[in-house]
Every structure is written in C-alpha cells, then in structure tokens.
Amino acid sequence: MTIKRTSQSMALTRRAMLKGGLAASALASFGAPAIVRAQGKEIVIGGPAGAAKYFNADIFPLMEKKIGAKILYEGTNSLTNLQKMQADKAAPKMSVVVMDDPVMIAAADQDLIEKMSPAAVPTMAKLAGTAVHRDGLWVNYQQPWAGIAFNSTRMKTPPTSWTDLWAAGNKGRIIVPSLNNTEGYWTLLVAAHLETGKPFKEAQYEIDAAFNKLKSLKPNLLNIYTNAPQAINLLEQGEATLIAGQFSAYTLIRKADGSPIDLAIPKEGGFAMPSGLAKVKSGPNPGLADATLEAFLSPEVQSVLAAKAFVAPVNPAATKPAGFPDSATLFAPDWAHFAKGRAGWIERWNRELL
C-alpha cells in the first residue's frame, strides 16, 4: 500500500528525522538570529511547534511582563530539542525547554537539565505531587488529554471506540502520529490493548502484539505524521476522517477558532499527555530561566493555559474550566519503559508500517 504524504514528507523516516535535527542544531550554532540575539533581557525557550500559537498569543505576553524580558520561542518537537541540547551541551543556546516526559527522562539521564531551586521557583512546592519529577529536575506544567480527533462535518456522531480506526468504512481516511512524536505511542498502546484484550496497564508491555495489530491498520492509513499542524490541516479539509492519539492542547484550540474538528475520548479510555518543563543545564541567563519557570507555574499563567490551551492546570490555585475530564480517569503509562524501548520501536515502526 502506498501512503499519501504532503510535500514536506510528513511520514519521515528515523534517519531523515535525525538528519533534520542535526541540521537544526547546526543552524542554531551558525547564525539563527533568535539564538544569536538571546542575550541580556531575552531568553530562548525550546518547545513543541503545536504550542507556538497559544504560547505566543496568550502565554508569553503575560510571562514577559512578569519576568521583564523578551521570550524567543524555538518550536519543534521533543526529540529534536533533545538533539539540540546534546549538540550544544558545552555551550547551550536554550535556557528553558518544554518536552514530553519520556524525552525529559533521557535529558535527565544525560545530565542536560538541572534541578530547579525551591528558593528560585517557590511555586514548585505548591504543585500536585505527581507534577514534580526526580526531586525537581523537571515538572509537568499542564495536563492535556488525548483521544481521537475527528472531522465534525464528515462525522455527525463522534467516534465511540478505538476500534473505529480499523473500521472498513475508514479505508484511506485515518492519520496516526509517528512514534517520533510522543502522541504516536497512544496508537501503539491501543493496538496492544485491542490485540490482547488486556487493560492498558498490562497491554503497554505487549509490544509484539501491538505491531501485529498495527499491520492490519495499514489499509486505512492516509498518512503518518511528524508535523501536527499539517495533519490537522488534512482533517480540517476533510481528506482525513480521524486522527488517532490527538490531544486537547492542539485539537480543541483549532475547534475554538472555528475549525470543523473535535476531540472524543473513546469508551476504552483516554490518555494523559506528559508536558514537561525544565531548566537547561548551564544555559544562558540562569536568573531569567528561574523567573520563567516560576511564571509558567503561577496561578495567573496556569489559568490562562487552562482556558486557552484546553489543559488541566497543575497549580491548585489556578482556575479550571467546567467540563474538563477528571485526570484520574486518564491513563498515564510507564514512561520509563517507553523511553527505554522507544528507539527500537521507532526503527520497527519505520520498517513495518512505512
């Protein structure tokens, strides 16, 4: 089967992804203006491309007033940010990084991030206990939820089960994230659950079963993406019907802007997305980095994040809009197991699905 791709090759191979990450690192080192300018009253934050819109429009203006400095945002994905940190370890360009927890684990193991000081980031002590990791090496600054994004014009009734991805009526209409994106794991986990009948907590360790089930999804695939905005565009245009493993912090923002898309949590359950925030070890402007971390966690910023980004706040003093799912009902996997196996799974994914 031939899987359609956009002109920018959304279904990148791992080799191409790594090459792109190295190219981005080289650009950062040899002349990217935002990086070069990051002196004095400017600070560079690396984070997900999908968050750029609400970060720049709603979050950073509020934070800049708090810290008294300009925020320069480098939007990409977690693995690319990790590669940049690895390449720039001797002279980091970023001061603060926003990455998914599995990649934070790798960054911590490689000594690329440093513990937050309780004195410099006092709000850290007020967060829910599950939001603080490894004694303050990183924190979760928000809690998006993941399910199935769907085109609400083509589908008047939301999808009710993860099995809808495999339905014969959806041939050539399904998009799934690559495992290069952390949200790609949800499709793998769902496949393991459906193949074995085991609950998510047990199915997450049944990787062979997951890949066996995923092979039967290939006739339904329109695309495998690494670039979330491009994938959402295909859903909005009606070329795709469903996107597996999409999350609230991106899908519901587009819905609020008028896009004909929505997000459903299937009957088998939804997932808690890991949104980590950390201080880059030996990064520039360490004082501004501390102030930025504190601003991210403040009730004011947390409340705006919840309302504008459709996420559950981690600061109990923040306001959470009505109708948000109870985070206790969302499954959070063994991220250490995911981080350990991910590289091999990506290679297998590219070999067996592309």
Side-chain angles (χ1 to χ4, degrees):
M1 177 200 67
T2 300
I3 300 174
K4 293 168 59 180
R5 295 171 171 81
T6 64
S7 61
Q8 294 189 12
S9 184
M10 294 156 63
L12 296 177
T13 64
R14 184 168 183 264
R15 178 180 298 175
M17 182 274 295
L18 290 171
K19 183 177 180 181
L22 292 174
S25 297
L27 179 61
S29 299
F30 297 105
I35 299 294
V36 173
R37 293 197 312 268
Q39 304 296 328
K41 288 296 183 178
E42 295 180 333
I43 185 169
V44 176
I45 298 177
K53 182 175 181 179
Y54 65 85
F55 273 177
N56 288 321
D58 304 303
I59 304 304
F60 291 159
L62 178 58
M63 290 177 55
E64 286 172 346
K65 291 180 180 179
K66 285 179 169 291
I67 68 175
K70 177 69 176 175
I71 294 173
L72 304 174
Y73 189 60
E74 299 289 320
T76 176
N77 62 49
S78 293
L79 282 178
T80 300
N81 274 327
L82 179 66
Q83 291 157 11
K84 288 181 178 181
M85 294 166 69
Q86 292 167 337
D88 297 335
K89 185 174 183 178
K93 308 299 189 301
M94 296 183 290
S95 297
V96 172
V97 67
V98 178
M99 300 192 301
D100 300 327
D101 281 18
V103 185
M104 283 292 190
I105 292 172
D109 290 344
Q110 296 173 38
D111 200 28
L112 298 172
I113 57 177
E114 61 183 76
K115 287 186 179 180
M116 302 178 194
S117 163
V121 191
T123 299
M124 180 173 57
K126 302 176 183 179
L127 306 182
T130 55
V132 181
H133 299 271
R134 295 200 185 179
D135 197 28
L137 260 180
W138 79 91
V139 299
N140 293 131
Y141 72 98
Q142 63 178 16
Q143 294 178 325
W145 60 91
I148 301 177
F150 63 98
N151 183 297
S152 53
T153 298
R154 292 185 61 88
M155 295 187 66
K156 301 300 182 182
T157 302
T160 59
S161 171
W162 287 103
T163 60
D164 290 347
L165 300 174
W166 279 262
N170 286 322
K171 184 176 181 180
R173 314 284 311 179
I174 303 298
I175 295 177
V176 300
S178 166
L179 269 181
N180 291 324
N181 297 51
T182 299
E183 69 266 25
Y185 181 48
W186 306 131
T187 309
L188 190 70
L189 177 55
V190 164
H193 163 69
L194 296 177
E195 183 74 359
T196 65
K198 295 180 179 180
F200 293 140
K201 187 175 181 179
E202 298 175 19
Q204 64 183 318
Y205 303 110
E206 302 289 346
I207 299 303
D208 288 338
F211 277 100
N212 187 58
K213 181 65 175 178
L214 282 178
K215 291 176 184 178
S216 65
L217 183 62
K218 291 176 72 172
N220 283 11
L221 292 181
L222 170 68
N223 212 319
I224 299 174
Y225 79 79
T226 56
N227 185 298
Q230 290 179 345
I232 289 291
N233 286 341
L234 290 175
L235 187 67
E236 291 171 335
Q237 295 162 10
E239 292 189 47
T241 302
L242 303 174
I243 301 182
Q246 264 301 302
F247 48 97
S248 60
Y250 192 64
T251 305
L252 296 181
I253 291 174
R254 299 286 282 258
K255 176 188 175 183
D257 286 341
S259 294
I261 61 175
D262 208 341
L263 185 68
I265 297 179
K267 63 183 181 181
E268 297 89 351
F271 305 106
M273 285 294 294
S275 299
L277 177 70
K279 183 177 182 179
V280 177
K281 186 170 184 178
S282 303
N285 301 314
L288 272 180
D290 290 334
T292 299
L293 296 166
E294 177 67 10
F296 252 121
L297 303 176
S298 68
E300 296 86 352
V301 170
Q302 288 279 299
S303 296
V304 174
L305 268 172
K308 297 293 186 178
F310 295 90
V311 298
V314 296
N315 189 325
T319 301
K320 184 177 78 170
F324 281 29
D326 182 353
S327 59
T329 67
L330 302 172
F331 180 70
D334 179 349
W335 287 119
H337 171 69
F338 174 79
K340 182 178 179 180
R342 186 179 193 177
W345 300 345
I346 288 174
E347 291 182 354
R348 186 172 179 180
W349 177 286
N350 292 336
R351 185 173 65 250
E352 297 185 14
L353 294 182
L354 299 185

